[in-house]
Amino acid sequence: IEQIVRVDLGRAARATATLQVTEIEESIEVVADIPTSVVSKQVSANYTYDEVDRLPIDRDPIGIAEFSPGVSDRSAVVGQISISGGIGYDNLIMMDGVDSAMFIFGNSSGPTLFPTEVGLFIEDAIEETQVLTGTISAEYGRFTGGVVNAITKRGGNQFKGTVRMDMSNPAWREESPLEDELGIENESSRNDLFSATLGGYILKDKLWFFAAGSETSRSEPSLFPLTNASRPDDFDNLRYEVKLTGNIGGNHTIEALTLQNKSDFVFSLFGLDPLTIDEASLDHDYVALRYTGVLGRNLLLEARYSDRSVLNSGFGGSSTDLRDSIFVDFGSGLFFNAPIFDEADPSFDFNDEIFSAIASYFLSSGAAGSHDLRFGLESITMTQRGGNSQSSTGFLFGSFILKDEAGQPIYDDQGRLQPVFQTFGAETYELIADRGALLDLTTYSLFANDVWRLNDRWSFNVGIRYEQ
């Protein structure tokens, strides 16, 4: 008997066959109840690349997860998801076994000022995504919501690849009534997202490769509120991934992969005037090694190591002159006079190092059913630098801005918006930030989990996890 069985990401699959002896002259038809195929009690949904490619949804891990039952995007922060009612920032997001959630935000791309492309993925390289919403194995820890588990493609004995190009252009849309009134025309500036993948073999049946790359160039200018000055929003991103997979003796597999991601920004965050325009860059990358070995008929060993880092430069103001402090306009709640944040305080610098080892053992105990046992240990070291300094001068002022009778801002001779300081109409905040503060957290974990199939009617998932 020859069977083809698909093994979904994060799931076990069972292949069963019964051989029967028959006489050549006779034709025997055997009718019996079909045994249950349930091999795991985890509540999950799996989405392959081909399925996602056909659906009108975002193709990043969060966009794919939003398509699952039990998942909602109605969270406190844009880009977060709530899984089974859990807190949006407290999900576990994994890519090729690496925790890829962005620092305290619990999503794949960080704060709302970051486009999704800064995450640890290339959309066309994602082979399969699993969303776990309930009865989750003790193998996973450090979350109270759910798990988004994705893997990227790998090479094989055939050469396969994809090419994709997305385009947009501000000139392809009509001007808004305000733009018409000001005589502004949308300039023709094509925005491109180009991506390509290629996988194949270096040594057939022994060594395979997979490579993917993506380049984004996007400019979506708009107008500042109230002042109607030109507001840039430029984003350039370059991502590439390389994965090598080797097989040793048929029972041992070693995989090495790296993903490099560099982004450049020109933008204004919650700004009112051109003085809030900021230029910054962000590097987000990781390397990972994985070993899988089959020892005997029932024992599988896995070991993983990964190192991930996020480095930024240029976010925030650079002047320490008090006159270059940030002002917040009480009328609109927006900032003027300087960019928010402090360039000298690396509040987005982040690094984590993860090591894990897992042993899987399959045990059949006759009347007591079968047991799919998994034991493992994990070490996770996370560091984050920055004191969340909001201003390069250490001060933030609040006031109304000076306007004429028509309600239009009046600028000074340096082209700056003018604050109006008046009794009970102005505030001063001294922001005492610990610049360069270090958060250093190491978590050690042990777990054991048993998927116990007692018979065709009863199965159980029993697990325990200890973390320090």
Side-chain angles (χ1 to χ4, degrees):
I1 291 179
E2 179 178 320
Q3 289 187 347
I4 297 177
V5 178
R6 173 178 170 79
V7 183
D8 291 323
L9 169 63
R11 294 181 176 181
R14 176 183 294 180
T16 58
T18 302
L19 298 180
Q20 298 183 351
V21 179
T22 65
E23 297 182 8
I24 297 177
E25 297 84 0
E26 296 182 358
S27 174
I28 299 177
E29 180 180 358
V30 179
V31 178
D33 293 334
I34 300 176
T36 177
S37 60
V38 174
V39 295
S40 174
K41 297 304 293 179
Q42 292 185 141
V43 182
S44 64
N46 285 56
Y47 303 96
T48 65
Y49 170 82
D50 291 336
E51 292 169 339
V52 172
D53 197 43
R54 294 187 180 100
L55 293 171
I57 62 175
D58 291 334
R59 299 183 301 135
D60 61 278
I62 295 298
I64 297 171
E66 288 179 0
F67 199 64
S68 300
V71 178
S72 171
D73 62 357
R74 297 197 176 195
S75 189
V77 177
V78 175
Q80 289 182 353
I81 53 175
S82 173
I83 301 180
S84 296
I87 300 173
Y89 58 76
D90 216 1
N91 298 316
L92 182 63
I93 302 173
M94 302 181 67
M95 180 65 66
D96 285 318
V98 177
D99 184 352
S100 64
M102 288 286 275
F103 11 95
I104 62 173
F105 293 91
N107 57 24
S108 59
S109 56
T112 55
L113 65 96
F114 290 166
T116 58
E117 289 95 334
V118 305
L120 276 181
F121 59 86
I122 297 174
E123 293 88 345
D124 279 356
I126 299 177
E127 173 66 23
E128 187 174 354
T129 304
Q130 181 189 42
V131 184
L132 301 173
T133 58
T135 324
I136 301 173
S137 169
E139 176 181 349
Y140 303 98
R142 299 174 295 113
F143 72 95
T144 60
V147 178
V148 180
N149 184 24
I151 57 171
T152 57
K153 300 174 183 177
R154 63 172 60 178
N157 285 338
Q158 292 180 332
F159 290 95
K160 295 182 179 180
T162 63
V163 176
R164 180 187 181 101
M165 189 170 187
D166 297 349
M167 293 180 291
S168 64
N169 194 325
W172 294 348
R173 68 170 177 83
E174 291 290 337
E175 284 74 21
S176 68
L178 178 60
E179 291 170 332
D180 283 334
E181 181 182 337
L182 297 174
I184 297 175
E185 293 185 3
N186 296 323
E187 297 183 1
S188 180
S189 175
R190 199 180 73 188
N191 302 321
D192 295 332
L193 188 155
F194 177 82
S195 61
T197 68
L198 178 64
Y201 64 88
I202 300 175
L203 297 174
K204 216 166 189 178
D205 297 325
K206 296 293 183 182
L207 182 62
W208 303 273
F209 77 91
F210 176 78
S214 175
E215 183 176 13
T216 301
S217 180
R218 187 163 61 235
S219 178
E220 299 175 337
S222 59
L223 300 178
F224 280 104
L226 188 63
T227 64
N228 294 328
S230 178
R231 178 180 182 176
D233 188 0
D234 300 339
F235 176 67
D236 293 287
N237 173 265
L238 179 63
R239 293 171 282 170
Y240 64 87
E241 175 184 350
V242 177
K243 178 188 289 188
L244 294 176
T245 307
N247 186 271
I248 303 173
N251 289 338
H252 303 275
T253 301
I254 297 177
E255 189 171 81
L257 64 150
T258 182
L259 192 148
Q260 307 293 317
N261 188 332
K262 180 175 179 58
S263 302
D264 295 309
F265 305 81
V266 179
F267 67 103
S268 172
L269 184 63
F270 309 125
L272 267 179
D273 67 341
L275 291 176
T276 61
I277 296 174
D278 202 1
E279 296 185 15
S281 64
L282 186 78
D283 292 332
H284 187 191
D285 53 63
Y286 79 109
V287 294
L289 296 173
R290 180 185 297 110
Y291 162 78
T292 305
V294 180
L295 305 181
R297 298 177 58 188
N298 296 346
L299 182 62
L300 174 71
L301 297 180
E302 301 174 62
R304 293 192 296 260
Y305 170 81
S306 67
D307 186 279
R308 179 171 68 114
S309 66
V310 179
L311 299 174
N312 80 96
S313 63
F315 284 97
S318 58
S319 175
T320 57
D321 190 328
L322 191 64
R323 291 169 294 187
D324 295 326
S325 296
I326 305 169
F327 283 76
V328 58
D329 170 37
F330 287 159
S332 64
L334 300 177
F335 299 103
F336 65 96
N337 199 58
I340 192 173
F341 298 127
D342 181 5
E343 184 178 305
D345 184 39
S347 293
F348 297 128
D349 282 7
F350 180 87
N351 179 261
D352 62 29
E353 190 176 33
I354 303 175
F355 171 78
S356 63
I358 301 172
S360 301
Y361 187 77
F362 183 79
L363 174 66
S364 181
S365 56
S370 62
H371 301 264
D372 189 357
L373 302 166
R374 286 175 71 83
F375 308 92
L377 56 89
E378 194 173 42
S379 169
I380 302 164
T381 300
M382 307 174 66
T383 58
Q384 182 180 355
R385 293 189 179 276
N388 193 25
S389 179
Q390 301 289 296
S391 170
S392 60
T393 67
F395 285 87
L396 183 149
F397 297 92
S399 71
F400 291 95
I401 60 175
L402 185 63
K403 299 179 183 179
D404 59 20
E405 294 180 355
Q408 295 302 310
I410 301 176
Y411 298 88
D412 65 13
D413 55 3
Q414 295 180 331
R416 296 179 182 236
L417 295 172
Q418 301 183 69
V420 178
F421 294 102
Q422 57 188 10
T423 306
F424 305 115
E427 295 178 351
T428 303
Y429 304 92
E430 183 180 5
L431 308 174
I432 306 175
D434 186 3
R435 290 175 173 82
L438 177 66
L439 170 67
D440 191 348
L441 178 67
T442 299
T443 302
Y444 299 102
S445 306
L446 295 172
F447 77 87
N449 199 83
D450 179 16
V451 179
W452 175 22
R453 291 174 290 274
L454 178 61
N455 50 45
D456 290 343
R457 294 179 175 84
W458 291 94
S459 62
F460 306 89
N461 192 336
V462 183
I464 185 172
R465 185 179 181 95
Y466 172 79
E467 293 188 350
Q468 177 175 316

